[in-house]
Amino acid sequence: MDRDAYLERLDASTTEPTDLFEHFEQRSVAGRTHHILTAARHGVERGTVVVEETDIIVRGYPSVPRTLVLDPGIPSFFEGDETVTIEEKLDGFNVRIADVGDHLAFTRSGYVCPYTTARARDRLPLADFFADHPDRTICAELIGPETPYTIHEYDDVDSHDFRVFDVRHRETGSPLPVDDRRALCEEYGFSQPQLFGREEPSDAVAAVRDAIADLDVAGREGVVLKSGDGDAMIKYTTASQHHDELAYAFSLPFDHGRDFVFSRIVRDAFQAAELDDDDRIRERAQDLGESILTPMVSTIRDVADSETVGERHTVRGDPDSIDALFDHLHDQSMTIELKSDRLEDGERVVEFVKVAESTRDRIQYYLAGGTRQE
Amino acid sequence: MDRDAYLERLDASTTEPTDLFEHFEQRSVAGRTHHILTAARHGVERGTVVVEETDIIVRGYPSVPRTLVLDPGIPSFFEGDETVTIEEKLDGFNVRIADVGDHLAFTRSGYVCPYTTARARDRLPLADFFADHPDRTICAELIGPETPYTIHEYDDVDSHDFRVFDVRHRETGSPLPVDDRRALCEEYGFSQPQLFGREEPSDAVAAVRDAIADLDVAGREGVVLKSGDGDAMIKYTTASQHHDELAYAFSLPFDHGRDFVFSRIVRDAFQAAELDDDDRIRERAQDLGESILTPMVSTIRDVADSETVGERHTVRGDPDSIDALFDHLHDQSMTIELKSDRLEDGERVVEFVKVAESTRDRIQYYLAGGTRQE
């Protein structure tokens, strides 16, 4: 491939192709060569993909900064006269769906998930959309209790579904303005995240506080605030999300605990300092502690009882895409234990566990009296 | 200095002097040159010191492994027919006191603390002891509410005091057998940690469980178990210690939180899984959460109110050694804020704060609306 030309099309902040391309990894997908940027480098987002044969670039989704305080976090982030839209942030699996010859669903890291691809083709009118907008990327969250990645329950989603939260230019990554994007999604019948309102930055503080209070009670994740043109984005999350993530991380402490714990505590503490009275802080703290300790003790006891520990998931779809999913998970060096495998209304339904080997092995070692050298 | 000769005397697991000596740092102390090993390397403990002019080696104190479970942690660590002594582990500042020309107190890292040195000379009969045992190192914990390093309160210590928990050969680091050491300490009037008993390894489990229950209620740290010859050592700590340390760490979250949090949670979870029923687990979890969140929220609010955040300490001693202490702390790049400075019965009493600059600066940044890129 012509690296100099791609470097220019990617608008990278280096003029030396090797600086960027040494961080690309090569995969073969559906007979084409994907070059995948595995980490953000030189102004190019992680998960950016170059498809060699079709000469297509799919730009990675940018990382969304987080504010720890609503005030002055929101008014200091946005321009004073800007209109800020407040939309729900969903707890699911973030994919970009693009036409690169085929309609494929790319994970945040730039890999193609065959299962999400198959579900997207099944659930979303991709053919119609890409016929009209070939150079757009649909940015969607795969949500619901039956996905191979996340299990957060939403009232209106029995198995799994997509919510389209962004539509961007495939190559430049430039977003559609929020209102245009919402109208476009409506036109194609894409489900979207809830819109909480459009406010000036200073008024957005109270609006977000109210939205977060409601979302917290409902056990939902949080909000993303965007400038009208969709370019500036900031996120803020609920206490229940922080605690859910800690509970997940500490159910598999030696796989996720160390990475998760500090950042979630930081979020929770700043939120408490801004929003809570003393009674609520104590309640939040106790809840935080239970989120951390209870799942970990339960996992230690499971290991002691020789039960499998790991992430439990259920997936549902056509038999071929389920096979492709397990190939994909095995490619990522995951150890999978099948719990059940059945047909329901022509669909294959599989329950499985992604075995958390580090957690299992470390807990076994300590339970056998292994010592920690500190 | 003759590196080959020292390499042999240190019994290092390398034959290339540079392998070891590149990790030494040089300091001048009381007119002599100290070569200090700043990290454990090639079988030589961190904090090992070579004093050039007097040709003396002070061996570092070994790191003590920790078991996360009493059963089978204790019986699998010790030989079946060994007698295990159970002594209290104190929450203080661990120093080695040795005669290297002068009687000096070395920190765990191998630096000489002038204040601890002065207090040790004042409180312990060093002249008598080193006249009889010139080649021994006294390993002691400086405890009490008035020290420059720790503030844990003990009922019988108004200001500060020493507890001698080990006596070792200065150069080889070889310990005295526990009974001999306790007798020797008695002979010189050194206060010692409480002895909970001598047990066979399998009986030690119940004895430690009882000791830990009592120590936990009293808010004390834990126990160290040693083989009769003093060579094999293992430690185990109380829930109240884990939670106290978390409270300390999260009162200064961006200085200590990240390092402390995971290991303390791990200790607490294994202890809960082994010793607690469901009600007690919930209580422990709530207590854990309060230890983490409450101090951090309080520090965030202090920063918002422009109050100084950091570790508060009080020290008491002769004016010269207090001056030397502050020189020593400044040498370690600490920012010190004096709160009060007065004379009491001929002693100078200084209250001060070690300013936690990372915590202050990060919290200020986030409170001003600074974002986290994740």
Side-chain angles (χ1 to χ4, degrees):
Chain A
M1 67 195 230
D2 180 347
R3 293 178 161 207
D4 286 304
Y6 279 118
L7 198 66
E8 191 164 336
R9 282 169 63 187
L10 285 165
D11 195 25
S13 62
T14 176
T15 52
E16 178 45 66
T18 305
D19 285 354
L20 188 65
F21 286 96
E22 67 181 352
H23 302 292
F24 275 78
E25 193 180 276
Q26 199 170 312
R27 292 280 177 117
S28 174
V29 181
R32 296 192 188 92
T33 310
H34 288 206
H35 300 270
I36 303 160
L37 183 60
T38 54
R41 284 287 183 282
H42 304 289
V44 185
E45 291 80 7
R46 177 172 78 96
T48 295
V49 179
V50 174
V51 181
E52 199 171 313
E53 290 79 359
T54 51
D55 192 32
I56 283 173
I57 291 174
V58 183
R59 190 89 187 186
Y61 197 80
S63 97
V64 181
R66 171 187 297 277
T67 184
L68 294 181
V69 296
L70 298 177
D71 187 13
I74 298 171
S76 71
F77 187 76
F78 293 100
E79 305 292 328
D81 56 352
E82 232 169 1
T83 297
V84 175
T85 58
I86 306 165
E87 293 178 284
E88 182 173 2
K89 180 179 193 320
L90 294 158
D91 183 357
F93 187 60
N94 176 321
V95 287
R96 287 161 291 143
I97 305 163
D99 181 358
V100 297
D102 297 297
H103 305 155
L104 300 179
F106 293 88
T107 69
R108 203 76 187 264
S109 312
Y111 302 110
V112 170
C113 173
Y115 178 80
T116 312
T117 294
R119 301 324 295 155
R121 290 176 184 173
D122 187 59
R123 299 282 171 114
L124 300 173
L126 300 184
D128 290 353
F129 181 84
F130 288 121
D132 302 336
H133 306 281
D135 60 355
R136 295 283 168 193
T137 297
I138 299 167
C139 305
E141 202 84 20
L142 172 66
I143 61 168
E146 295 187 341
T147 88
Y149 306 108
T150 62
I151 55 169
H152 196 94
E153 299 261 2
Y154 286 95
D155 280 349
D156 50 345
V157 182
D158 282 339
S159 171
H160 59 274
D161 207 352
F162 291 90
R163 297 287 180 271
V164 176
F165 60 87
D166 217 341
V167 174
R168 291 182 171 245
H169 189 270
R170 190 178 57 199
E171 178 160 323
T172 65
S174 175
L176 285 185
V178 175
D179 290 344
D180 296 353
R181 184 247 303 161
R182 292 196 70 95
L184 191 70
C185 287
E186 193 119 334
E187 186 187 334
Y188 286 90
F190 296 151
S191 299
Q192 309 189 53
Q194 186 179 350
L195 175 68
F196 286 102
R198 295 174 180 78
E199 305 283 350
E200 287 190 8
S202 54
D203 296 332
V205 171
V208 171
R209 190 157 45 212
D210 291 347
I212 284 289
D214 292 346
L215 290 168
D216 188 38
V217 169
R220 297 172 79 123
E221 177 164 356
V223 295
V224 177
L225 281 68
K226 291 183 179 171
S227 55
D229 60 12
D231 260 325
M233 305 189 283
I234 198 172
K235 65 189 172 191
Y236 188 78
T237 48
T238 62
S240 69
Q241 169 73 4
H242 309 156
H243 299 177
D244 281 357
E245 288 191 326
L246 286 169
Y248 159 71
F250 279 96
S251 71
L252 307 173
F254 296 103
D255 290 81
H256 304 301
R258 194 182 288 275
D259 301 333
F260 266 67
V261 62
F262 187 68
S263 57
R264 274 58 177 185
I265 291 170
V266 166
R267 293 173 199 171
D268 220 37
F270 276 90
Q271 187 167 73
E274 184 176 15
L275 304 180
D276 291 359
D277 63 23
D278 286 350
D279 284 347
R280 174 67 192 124
I281 289 172
R282 159 172 248 170
E283 199 182 307
R284 181 196 285 264
Q286 293 181 343
D287 194 24
L288 172 83
E290 291 189 57
S291 302
I292 291 173
L293 203 72
T294 319
M296 182 159 174
V297 171
S298 159
T299 297
I300 293 170
R301 289 179 171 171
D302 284 348
V303 172
D305 295 343
S306 305
E307 286 174 29
T308 305
V309 296
E311 285 177 48
R312 285 174 179 267
H313 292 283
T314 300
V315 288
R316 176 183 302 265
D318 69 282
D320 285 352
S321 74
I322 301 272
D323 279 339
L325 169 67
F326 286 110
D327 287 345
H328 174 70
L329 297 177
H330 285 300
D331 278 352
Q332 301 186 348
S333 306
M334 283 186 193
T335 302
I336 302 293
E337 203 175 290
L338 290 189
K339 289 299 181 185
S340 75
D341 192 344
R342 64 186 190 277
L343 283 173
E344 255 182 50
D345 307 326
E347 287 187 315
R348 189 168 157 207
V349 182
V350 181
E351 294 176 58
F352 66 97
V353 178
K354 294 178 185 168
V355 178
E357 294 184 321
S358 298
T359 292
R360 180 195 64 200
D361 296 349
R362 297 286 283 180
I363 291 177
Q364 281 175 348
Y365 167 78
Y366 291 130
L367 285 179
T371 57
R372 275 171 88 85
Q373 199 72 43
E374 287 156 347
Chain B
M1 68 195 233
D2 180 349
R3 293 179 160 208
D4 286 304
Y6 279 118
L7 198 68
E8 191 166 333
R9 283 168 63 186
L10 286 165
D11 195 24
S13 61
T14 176
T15 52
E16 180 45 67
T18 306
D19 285 354
L20 188 66
F21 286 97
E22 68 182 351
H23 302 291
F24 275 78
E25 192 180 276
Q26 199 169 311
R27 292 282 177 116
S28 174
V29 180
R32 297 193 188 92
T33 310
H34 288 208
H35 301 271
I36 303 161
L37 183 61
T38 55
R41 284 289 183 280
H42 304 289
V44 185
E45 291 79 8
R46 177 172 78 97
T48 294
V49 179
V50 175
V51 180
E52 199 171 312
E53 290 79 358
T54 52
D55 193 32
I56 283 173
I57 291 174
V58 183
R59 190 92 188 185
Y61 197 80
S63 96
V64 181
R66 170 187 299 277
T67 185
L68 294 180
V69 297
L70 298 176
D71 188 12
I74 298 170
S76 71
F77 186 77
F78 293 101
E79 305 291 329
D81 57 352
E82 232 168 0
T83 298
V84 174
T85 57
I86 307 164
E87 294 178 282
E88 183 173 2
K89 181 178 192 323
L90 294 158
D91 183 356
F93 187 61
N94 177 322
V95 287
R96 288 160 291 144
I97 305 161
D99 181 359
V100 297
D102 296 297
H103 305 155
L104 299 179
F106 294 88
T107 70
R108 203 74 188 264
S109 313
Y111 302 109
V112 170
C113 173
Y115 177 79
T116 313
T117 294
R119 302 323 295 156
R121 290 176 185 173
D122 186 58
R123 298 281 170 116
L124 300 172
L126 300 184
D128 290 353
F129 180 85
F130 288 121
D132 302 338
H133 306 281
D135 60 355
R136 294 284 167 191
T137 298
I138 299 167
C139 305
E141 203 84 19
L142 172 66
I143 61 169
E146 295 187 343
T147 88
Y149 306 108
T150 63
I151 55 168
H152 197 94
E153 299 261 0
Y154 286 96
D155 281 348
D156 50 347
V157 182
D158 283 338
S159 172
H160 60 273
D161 207 351
F162 290 90
R163 298 287 180 269
V164 177
F165 60 87
D166 217 341
V167 174
R168 292 185 168 242
H169 189 271
R170 189 179 58 202
E171 178 160 322
T172 66
S174 175
L176 284 185
V178 175
D179 290 345
D180 295 354
R181 182 248 302 161
R182 293 196 69 94
L184 190 70
C185 286
E186 193 118 335
E187 187 187 332
Y188 287 91
F190 296 151
S191 299
Q192 309 189 52
Q194 187 178 350
L195 175 68
F196 287 101
R198 296 175 179 79
E199 305 282 350
E200 288 190 5
S202 54
D203 297 332
V205 171
V208 171
R209 191 156 44 214
D210 292 347
I212 284 290
D214 292 345
L215 289 168
D216 188 38
V217 169
R220 297 171 78 122
E221 177 165 356
V223 295
V224 176
L225 283 67
K226 291 183 180 171
S227 56
D229 60 13
D231 261 324
M233 306 188 284
I234 199 172
K235 65 188 172 192
Y236 188 78
T237 48
T238 61
S240 68
Q241 170 72 5
H242 309 155
H243 299 177
D244 281 357
E245 288 189 327
L246 286 169
Y248 160 71
F250 279 95
S251 72
L252 307 172
F254 297 102
D255 289 81
H256 303 301
R258 195 181 286 277
D259 301 333
F260 265 67
V261 61
F262 187 68
S263 57
R264 272 58 176 188
I265 291 169
V266 166
R267 293 174 198 171
D268 219 37
F270 275 90
Q271 187 168 73
E274 184 176 15
L275 303 180
D276 290 359
D277 62 22
D278 287 349
D279 284 347
R280 173 68 192 123
I281 288 171
R282 159 171 250 171
E283 198 182 308
R284 181 197 286 265
Q286 293 181 343
D287 194 25
L288 173 84
E290 291 188 55
S291 303
I292 290 173
L293 204 72
T294 319
M296 182 159 172
V297 171
S298 157
T299 296
I300 293 170
R301 290 180 170 170
D302 284 348
V303 173
D305 296 342
S306 305
E307 285 176 30
T308 305
V309 296
E311 287 177 46
R312 286 176 177 264
H313 291 282
T314 301
V315 288
R316 176 184 301 267
D318 69 282
D320 285 351
S321 73
I322 300 273
D323 279 338
L325 169 67
F326 286 110
D327 287 344
H328 174 70
L329 297 178
H330 285 300
D331 278 351
Q332 301 185 350
S333 306
M334 285 186 194
T335 302
I336 302 293
E337 202 176 292
L338 289 191
K339 289 297 180 182
S340 74
D341 192 343
R342 63 187 190 277
L343 283 173
E344 254 182 50
D345 306 325
E347 286 188 316
R348 190 169 155 206
V349 182
V350 181
E351 294 176 58
F352 67 97
V353 178
K354 294 178 185 168
V355 178
E357 295 183 321
S358 299
T359 292
R360 180 195 62 201
D361 295 348
R362 297 286 282 178
I363 290 177
Q364 280 175 348
Y365 168 78
Y366 292 129
L367 284 179
T371 58
R372 275 171 89 84
Q373 199 72 41
E374 286 157 348

mmCIF file of all heavy atoms in Angstrom, chain A residues 133-150:
data_model
loop_
_atom_site.group_PDB
_atom_site.id
_atom_site.type_symbol
_atom_site.label_atom_id
_atom_site.label_comp_id
_atom_site.label_asym_id
_atom_site.label_seq_id
_atom_site.Cartn_x
_atom_site.Cartn_y
_atom_site.Cartn_z
ATOM 1 N N HIS A 133 -25.775 6.543 1.613
ATOM 2 C CA HIS A 133 -24.667 7.225 2.306
ATOM 3 C C HIS A 133 -23.450 6.304 2.383
ATOM 4 O O HIS A 133 -23.057 5.872 3.470
ATOM 5 C CB HIS A 133 -25.098 7.626 3.723
ATOM 6 C CG HIS A 133 -26.353 8.448 3.751
ATOM 7 N ND1 HIS A 133 -26.362 9.792 3.461
ATOM 8 C CD2 HIS A 133 -27.640 8.106 4.002
ATOM 9 C CE1 HIS A 133 -27.598 10.259 3.547
ATOM 10 N NE2 HIS A 133 -28.402 9.258 3.868
ATOM 11 N N PRO A 134 -22.857 6.009 1.235
ATOM 12 C CA PRO A 134 -21.772 5.006 1.228
ATOM 13 C C PRO A 134 -20.560 5.430 2.059
ATOM 14 O O PRO A 134 -19.833 4.568 2.545
ATOM 15 C CB PRO A 134 -21.403 4.899 -0.259
ATOM 16 C CG PRO A 134 -21.915 6.157 -0.891
ATOM 17 C CD PRO A 134 -23.127 6.561 -0.101
ATOM 18 N N ASP A 135 -20.347 6.736 2.213
ATOM 19 C CA ASP A 135 -19.117 7.177 2.881
ATOM 20 C C ASP A 135 -19.357 7.570 4.343
ATOM 21 O O ASP A 135 -18.580 8.313 4.928
ATOM 22 C CB ASP A 135 -18.471 8.325 2.104
ATOM 23 C CG ASP A 135 -19.407 9.515 1.991
ATOM 24 O OD1 ASP A 135 -20.580 9.393 2.435
ATOM 25 O OD2 ASP A 135 -18.985 10.568 1.464
ATOM 26 N N ARG A 136 -20.449 7.042 4.921
ATOM 27 C CA ARG A 136 -20.727 7.321 6.337
ATOM 28 C C ARG A 136 -20.456 6.081 7.184
ATOM 29 O O ARG A 136 -20.617 4.959 6.720
ATOM 30 C CB ARG A 136 -22.195 7.717 6.532
ATOM 31 C CG ARG A 136 -22.596 9.011 5.873
ATOM 32 C CD ARG A 136 -22.111 10.208 6.673
ATOM 33 N NE ARG A 136 -22.241 11.432 5.902
ATOM 34 C CZ ARG A 136 -21.680 12.590 6.234
ATOM 35 N NH1 ARG A 136 -20.954 12.689 7.328
ATOM 36 N NH2 ARG A 136 -21.825 13.655 5.483
ATOM 37 N N THR A 137 -20.111 6.319 8.441
ATOM 38 C CA THR A 137 -19.976 5.238 9.420
ATOM 39 C C THR A 137 -21.082 5.391 10.450
ATOM 40 O O THR A 137 -21.308 6.490 10.967
ATOM 41 C CB THR A 137 -18.608 5.316 10.132
ATOM 42 O OG1 THR A 137 -17.579 5.135 9.171
ATOM 43 C CG2 THR A 137 -18.486 4.243 11.215
ATOM 44 N N ILE A 138 -21.789 4.291 10.708
ATOM 45 C CA ILE A 138 -22.815 4.286 11.754
ATOM 46 C C ILE A 138 -22.132 3.885 13.062
ATOM 47 O O ILE A 138 -21.509 2.822 13.132
ATOM 48 C CB ILE A 138 -23.919 3.257 11.425
ATOM 49 C CG1 ILE A 138 -24.607 3.610 10.106
ATOM 50 C CG2 ILE A 138 -24.916 3.142 12.564
ATOM 51 C CD1 ILE A 138 -25.481 2.471 9.565
ATOM 52 N N CYS A 139 -22.247 4.730 14.074
ATOM 53 C CA CYS A 139 -21.637 4.418 15.371
ATOM 54 C C CYS A 139 -22.764 3.998 16.306
ATOM 55 O O CYS A 139 -23.681 4.789 16.569
ATOM 56 C CB CYS A 139 -20.901 5.615 15.924
ATOM 57 S SG CYS A 139 -19.676 6.253 14.764
ATOM 58 N N ALA A 140 -22.709 2.756 16.758
ATOM 59 C CA ALA A 140 -23.850 2.206 17.489
ATOM 60 C C ALA A 140 -23.373 1.430 18.708
ATOM 61 O O ALA A 140 -22.233 0.954 18.768
ATOM 62 C CB ALA A 140 -24.661 1.290 16.580
ATOM 63 N N GLU A 141 -24.263 1.327 19.655
ATOM 64 C CA GLU A 141 -24.017 0.541 20.860
ATOM 65 C C GLU A 141 -24.872 -0.726 20.741
ATOM 66 O O GLU A 141 -26.074 -0.639 20.497
ATOM 67 C CB GLU A 141 -24.441 1.383 22.072
ATOM 68 C CG GLU A 141 -23.823 1.019 23.387
ATOM 69 C CD GLU A 141 -22.443 1.641 23.623
ATOM 70 O OE1 GLU A 141 -22.098 2.655 22.967
ATOM 71 O OE2 GLU A 141 -21.711 1.104 24.450
ATOM 72 N N LEU A 142 -24.234 -1.890 20.857
ATOM 73 C CA LEU A 142 -24.978 -3.157 20.931
ATOM 74 C C LEU A 142 -25.326 -3.360 22.402
ATOM 75 O O LEU A 142 -24.424 -3.507 23.232
ATOM 76 C CB LEU A 142 -24.117 -4.319 20.422
ATOM 77 C CG LEU A 142 -24.673 -5.733 20.609
ATOM 78 C CD1 LEU A 142 -25.939 -5.952 19.775
ATOM 79 C CD2 LEU A 142 -23.616 -6.792 20.257
ATOM 80 N N ILE A 143 -26.622 -3.334 22.713
ATOM 81 C CA ILE A 143 -27.021 -3.404 24.123
ATOM 82 C C ILE A 143 -27.943 -4.586 24.373
ATOM 83 O O ILE A 143 -28.448 -5.202 23.435
ATOM 84 C CB ILE A 143 -27.751 -2.111 24.578
ATOM 85 C CG1 ILE A 143 -29.031 -1.891 23.755
ATOM 86 C CG2 ILE A 143 -26.836 -0.908 24.496
ATOM 87 C CD1 ILE A 143 -29.940 -0.807 24.325
ATOM 88 N N GLY A 144 -28.156 -4.865 25.649
ATOM 89 C CA GLY A 144 -29.095 -5.906 26.048
ATOM 90 C C GLY A 144 -28.415 -7.048 26.773
ATOM 91 O O GLY A 144 -27.189 -7.133 26.814
ATOM 92 N N PRO A 145 -29.218 -7.929 27.368
ATOM 93 C CA PRO A 145 -28.659 -9.003 28.195
ATOM 94 C C PRO A 145 -28.034 -10.130 27.375
ATOM 95 O O PRO A 145 -27.253 -10.905 27.915
ATOM 96 C CB PRO A 145 -29.880 -9.512 28.964
ATOM 97 C CG PRO A 145 -31.052 -9.192 28.076
ATOM 98 C CD PRO A 145 -30.694 -7.915 27.378
ATOM 99 N N GLU A 146 -28.350 -10.223 26.083
ATOM 100 C CA GLU A 146 -27.817 -11.315 25.276
ATOM 101 C C GLU A 146 -26.853 -10.787 24.221
ATOM 102 O O GLU A 146 -27.205 -10.619 23.051
ATOM 103 C CB GLU A 146 -28.962 -12.106 24.628
ATOM 104 C CG GLU A 146 -29.827 -12.802 25.676
ATOM 105 C CD GLU A 146 -30.880 -13.729 25.078
ATOM 106 O OE1 GLU A 146 -31.213 -13.593 23.888
ATOM 107 O OE2 GLU A 146 -31.377 -14.592 25.832
ATOM 108 N N THR A 147 -25.649 -10.486 24.649
ATOM 109 C CA THR A 147 -24.564 -10.119 23.731
ATOM 110 C C THR A 147 -23.315 -10.836 24.256
ATOM 111 O O THR A 147 -23.273 -11.247 25.413
ATOM 112 C CB THR A 147 -24.280 -8.590 23.705
ATOM 113 O OG1 THR A 147 -23.334 -8.280 24.732
ATOM 114 C CG2 THR A 147 -25.552 -7.766 23.895
ATOM 115 N N PRO A 148 -22.298 -10.965 23.409
ATOM 116 C CA PRO A 148 -21.088 -11.653 23.888
ATOM 117 C C PRO A 148 -20.174 -10.754 24.706
ATOM 118 O O PRO A 148 -19.112 -11.197 25.127
ATOM 119 C CB PRO A 148 -20.391 -12.077 22.590
ATOM 120 C CG PRO A 148 -21.063 -11.380 21.473
ATOM 121 C CD PRO A 148 -22.260 -10.654 21.979
ATOM 122 N N TYR A 149 -20.571 -9.509 24.944
ATOM 123 C CA TYR A 149 -19.643 -8.562 25.552
ATOM 124 C C TYR A 149 -20.184 -7.895 26.809
ATOM 125 O O TYR A 149 -19.460 -7.731 27.775
ATOM 126 C CB TYR A 149 -19.244 -7.496 24.530
ATOM 127 C CG TYR A 149 -18.695 -8.094 23.263
ATOM 128 C CD1 TYR A 149 -19.429 -8.084 22.075
ATOM 129 C CD2 TYR A 149 -17.455 -8.721 23.266
ATOM 130 C CE1 TYR A 149 -18.921 -8.662 20.914
ATOM 131 C CE2 TYR A 149 -16.950 -9.312 22.112
ATOM 132 C CZ TYR A 149 -17.695 -9.284 20.938
ATOM 133 O OH TYR A 149 -17.197 -9.867 19.808
ATOM 134 N N THR A 150 -21.416 -7.461 26.762
ATOM 135 C CA THR A 150 -21.977 -6.787 27.927
ATOM 136 C C THR A 150 -23.327 -7.425 28.228
ATOM 137 O O THR A 150 -23.911 -8.102 27.376
ATOM 138 C CB THR A 150 -22.176 -5.275 27.671
ATOM 139 O OG1 THR A 150 -23.095 -5.105 26.597
ATOM 140 C CG2 THR A 150 -20.860 -4.591 27.345
#
